Amino acid sequence: MHFKPWFANIFIILSLLILPACSTTNEQGDSYSDPRDPLESINRPIWTFNWDYADKYVFKPVSTAYVDWVPSPIRSGVYNAALNLNEPFTVINNLLQLKFQRAGKATGRFVLNSTVGLLGWFDIAKHAGLLREEEEFGEVLGTYGVGDGPYLMLPVLGPSSVRDEVGDLVDGYYWPLAIIDFWPNVARKLVIALETRGQLAEQEALLNDSLDAYEFVKNAYFQNINYRLHDGNPPIVIDQDEEDELDDLLEEF
């Protein structure tokens, strides 16, 4: 299974700037009513542990030291090499969705970066116009109508869902991830986690300023999943009840 530190999905969604009005309060108090989150009474304490303890005392200081002390060319090379190993499952998952052009692009990225790019150390493919567009098996399931399932806040790993966890499990069985030994794989995941946390530093003020950080993260997670599922072009969903209320209000004026 891929290592997804709690901040990974948050960083992605913040960097895409598609998080307007996510910082809402839980008006139900101790009564939880979000159908996406039937385990909220368990998830909230785990979120508190992740944000107030695991991140504050471990992830943030370690990632800060990593960014400050490791030379940028080395960080970039190790990070590129770690992500390059994800390209094969991206190829397969695109093929499973009949996205042949994206599958070809991922194949080109892997071949080019693994050869000319010295096992992925250099992202040569990016300079050739082949940008990284990772596709996970969870997105394959979503494409064929499988729902997210209950929202999960995992200790250290962070926001997820049943579908996402099943998808990560399947992706872990693809070559070459399936043949990487335990400790090299841990090192690969740690590099991705440290780099991702370091990139989040500039955006974390949005999380700190939110009225309910837990709801902020949950909404960020589902918006990110929807964004990825539709390849960056999610459909616009109109709440007809809200539209009717607005029409009635306008008619009064």
Side-chain angles (χ1 to χ4, degrees), residues 32 35 38 46-48 58 69 75 86 100-101 104 112 120 128 147 152 156 178 204 206 219 229 238-239 245:
Y32 307 124
I46 295 176
W47 157 254
T48 299
V58 180
W69 291 98
R75 281 177 44 219
N86 294 347
F100 300 115
Q101 183 175 3
L112 191 58
L152 304 173
V156 180
E204 65 180 293
L206 291 174
N219 288 329
L229 184 61
I238 299 177
D239 189 320
E245 290 180 4

Side-chain angles (χ1 to χ4, degrees), residues 45-136:
I46 295 176
W47 157 254
T48 299
F49 166 77
N50 285 348
W51 178 239
D52 292 341
Y53 298 97
D55 182 75
K56 182 177 181 180
Y57 297 109
V58 180
F59 280 117
K60 184 175 181 178
V62 172
S63 68
T64 299
Y66 177 74
V67 171
D68 291 343
W69 291 98
V70 178
S72 180
I74 295 179
R75 281 177 44 219
S76 177
V78 174
Y79 185 55
N80 287 338
L83 291 180
N84 187 54
L85 296 175
N86 294 347
E87 296 291 354
F89 73 65
T90 293
V91 174
I92 297 174
N93 291 333
N94 275 313
L95 289 175
L96 291 174
Q97 299 174 80
L98 306 182
K99 298 177 180 179
F100 300 115
Q101 183 175 3
R102 289 171 65 100
K105 182 185 296 184
T107 301
R109 280 188 53 81
F110 184 69
V111 172
L112 191 58
N113 286 342
S114 298
T115 53
V116 181
L118 302 179
L119 299 180
W121 186 273
F122 299 103
D123 192 355
I124 302 298
K126 178 179 67 175
H127 301 292
L130 301 175
L131 302 180
R132 179 182 292 112
E133 295 176 323
E134 191 170 293
E135 196 84 10
E136 300 177 350

